[in-house]
Amino acid sequence: MNDNIEALYKIANKPVRNIIGLMSGTSFDGLDIAWCEFHGSGLNTLVRVRKFTTKEYTPDFKEDLKAVFAKKIANLEQITLLNDFIGSYYAELVLECLKDWGISASEIDLIASHGQTIYHAPRHQHGIARYSNATLQIGDGDHLAVKTGIITISDFRQKHVAVGAEGAPLAVYGDYLLFSSPDENRIMLNIGGIANFTFLPSGHSTGFFSSDVGPGNTLMDQFIQLKYTGKYYDKNAEIASAGKVNESLLKALLDHPFYKAGYPKTTGPELFSLSYLNKALLKCGLENSSNEDIMATLAAFSARGIILAISECVSGNGSFEIYLSGGGMYNPLLVKYVEEYFGRKLKLTSDLGIDPDAKEAVLFAVLANEAVAGGKTSYGDHPGVPSISMGKISFPE
């Protein structure tokens, strides 16, 4: 037996597995790194987050990512260089964390790396008949494995696409395994660049559901980066809170086939871009609107997408609690809009034992745990949630 296969076999049979989960989103804030301790798999998964941190990216690296992100035309040489560079850069950041945490690489069984999404192209969005769904994440797993000496599982979304799904949202798998409740209907709402949610009926029911809903932070962040040099987001919604929602602009922003399409569905900044905003402004003759009013309206736009999706998908299922994660939880105006509509305080995933900042990194660690030690859970017959094992394996040597 190949030594690498033997090592993987031993890891799969361990009573406890230590997995580092990595997540880098579309906001380019930094790399989320979660050291997770796993017992069991499938519906018997128990996870304890031992350590968590976010390693902030340098301004130069953020600009490199922005140069190739969500663009139909990009520099192929730069994408090629970044694919290798990101894998090595992640390895450096992981090794820094292990040193800070006082543990050695030999104590970690696996790394689960989401990589960096640079383009998401579901069929409904690209509209080219002969092509199916597609998505692309860069940050090579072999570079991570070789430079850390740790077996790495990466490129999770491709299997999802290969079986006919859209490559997102993948959070539903971890949400179902970790957060289902015997007696409470739950909505796990993640507001990242794109907002998505998972509905979990009580009792580990197979009636769960997951979908993207539209922009979370992406349009607001893009607008801030365009108008305010050195700013990457509207901290505490200070700019948006100083403006007023323009109902005409809000109506124009919501006037797109995406909001009329059935669920589940996925999307990305490829659609919800500054071009999307500019078309809406021109349509309404509001090109000279203040930055504050545009930001207030964009916050309301993100909130309205969330509200529409939850209302349409979960109505008739009785009472439920909403548990929030993602960078959007730090936007008090966006959160207020959602809370006011549903008439309740949004909870956080920390109320369920998982730091909301760490949640996405933890969920990819769950997928790695399933790829190696599980993969036997049936998720039922749900559009967009095939019962598959995801992730490609990279060995250190």
Side-chain angles (χ1 to χ4, degrees):
M1 180 184 292
N2 182 288
D3 288 347
N4 287 313
I5 300 297
E6 184 175 6
L8 196 63
Y9 177 81
K10 289 178 179 177
I11 290 168
N13 285 282
K14 280 186 168 185
V16 180
R17 283 171 292 280
N18 286 283
I19 303 176
I20 296 282
L22 306 180
M23 180 64 197
S24 180
T26 58
S27 62
F28 311 139
D29 295 338
L31 183 65
D32 294 337
I33 305 176
W35 169 19
C36 305
E37 181 182 279
F38 282 89
H39 299 251
S41 64
L43 295 175
N44 296 315
T45 300
L46 294 175
V47 60
R48 179 165 73 105
V49 180
R50 299 287 301 276
K51 297 285 186 180
F52 171 75
T53 191
T54 298
K55 287 285 189 179
E56 186 174 349
Y57 292 149
T58 64
D60 286 349
F61 182 58
K62 291 181 183 182
E63 293 304 314
D64 287 344
L65 293 177
K66 284 171 61 179
V68 300
F69 175 65
K71 289 179 168 56
K72 285 191 175 182
I73 299 174
N75 185 319
L76 185 56
E77 179 181 70
Q78 190 171 11
I79 292 171
T80 302
L81 295 172
L82 277 171
N83 184 46
D84 292 356
F85 177 82
I86 290 171
S88 299
Y89 186 30
Y90 284 5
E92 291 176 15
L93 297 178
V94 167
L95 292 174
E96 283 179 16
C97 281
L98 296 183
K99 183 178 179 181
D100 292 343
W101 296 337
I103 60 172
S104 67
S106 62
E107 296 176 72
I108 300 299
D109 295 304
L110 302 168
I111 293 173
S113 177
H114 169 265
Q116 180 65 58
T117 296
I118 61 168
Y119 207 88
H120 186 62
R123 175 183 277 160
H124 73 82
Q125 199 160 287
H126 64 66
I128 305 172
R130 71 180 183 276
Y131 291 127
S132 186
N133 302 312
T135 188
L136 180 61
Q137 289 72 42
I138 59 174
D140 185 72
D142 284 337
H143 286 71
L144 244 171
V146 168
K147 289 177 173 63
T148 60
I150 302 169
I151 296 172
T152 297
I153 317 292
S154 63
D155 212 15
F156 293 92
R157 297 188 187 274
Q158 293 306 321
K159 177 68 74 63
H160 201 251
V161 171
V163 298
E166 295 188 6
L170 298 189
V172 57
Y173 294 92
D175 285 344
Y176 180 65
L177 297 182
L178 296 184
F179 299 118
S180 292
S181 166
D183 50 19
E184 181 179 74
N185 295 325
R186 291 175 173 170
I187 290 174
M188 311 306 297
L189 173 61
N190 185 73
I191 309 178
I194 297 298
N196 62 72
F197 79 97
T198 301
F199 173 59
L200 299 170
S202 61
H204 264 118
S205 166
T206 56
F208 63 89
F209 184 86
S210 185
S211 181
D212 283 351
V213 305
N217 304 317
T218 187
L219 264 176
M220 292 183 284
D221 290 351
Q222 290 177 62
F223 186 77
I224 290 294
Q225 291 163 24
L226 175 69
K227 297 292 185 178
Y228 300 89
T229 302
K231 279 182 175 286
Y232 287 91
Y233 67 101
D234 184 14
K235 186 175 181 180
N236 296 322
E238 291 171 358
I239 296 168
S241 296
K244 293 183 179 179
V245 175
N246 186 296
E247 293 296 334
S248 295
L249 177 58
L250 178 58
K251 183 178 178 181
L253 289 167
L254 289 164
D255 185 20
H256 189 278
F258 175 82
Y259 290 100
K260 300 176 180 66
Y263 298 90
K265 53 191 172 185
T266 66
T267 189
E270 297 78 12
L271 171 60
F272 293 108
S273 63
L274 290 176
S275 174
Y276 186 95
L277 171 61
N278 289 334
K279 287 177 183 176
L281 288 167
L282 284 169
K283 182 179 180 180
C284 301
L286 294 170
E287 305 94 306
N288 296 320
S289 297
S290 71
N291 292 346
E292 291 80 5
D293 286 354
I294 290 174
M295 283 297 294
T297 307
L298 289 177
F301 175 45
S302 292
R304 189 67 62 86
I306 293 167
I307 290 164
L308 285 171
I310 292 176
S311 299
E312 290 177 25
C313 295
V314 185
S315 62
N317 286 282
S319 62
F320 54 83
E321 292 292 341
I322 300 175
Y323 293 89
L324 187 58
S325 61
M329 67 184 176
Y330 295 112
N331 185 316
L333 188 60
L334 173 55
V335 171
K336 185 183 85 167
Y337 287 147
V338 177
E339 288 183 333
E340 285 181 347
Y341 181 86
F342 289 109
R344 73 192 67 199
K345 186 79 172 173
L346 300 187
K347 297 183 177 182
L348 300 175
T349 58
S350 51
D351 295 318
L352 303 177
I354 299 291
D355 181 340
D357 287 316
K359 184 194 172 208
E360 285 194 286
V362 172
L363 293 184
F364 280 96
V366 171
L367 292 183
N369 188 61
E370 286 298 295
V372 171
K376 298 178 181 178
T377 300
S378 172
Y379 295 91
D381 184 20
H382 291 278
V385 194
S387 297
I388 53 173
S389 179
M390 290 168 278
K392 297 184 176 105
I393 300 171
S394 294
F395 294 117
E397 54 187 35

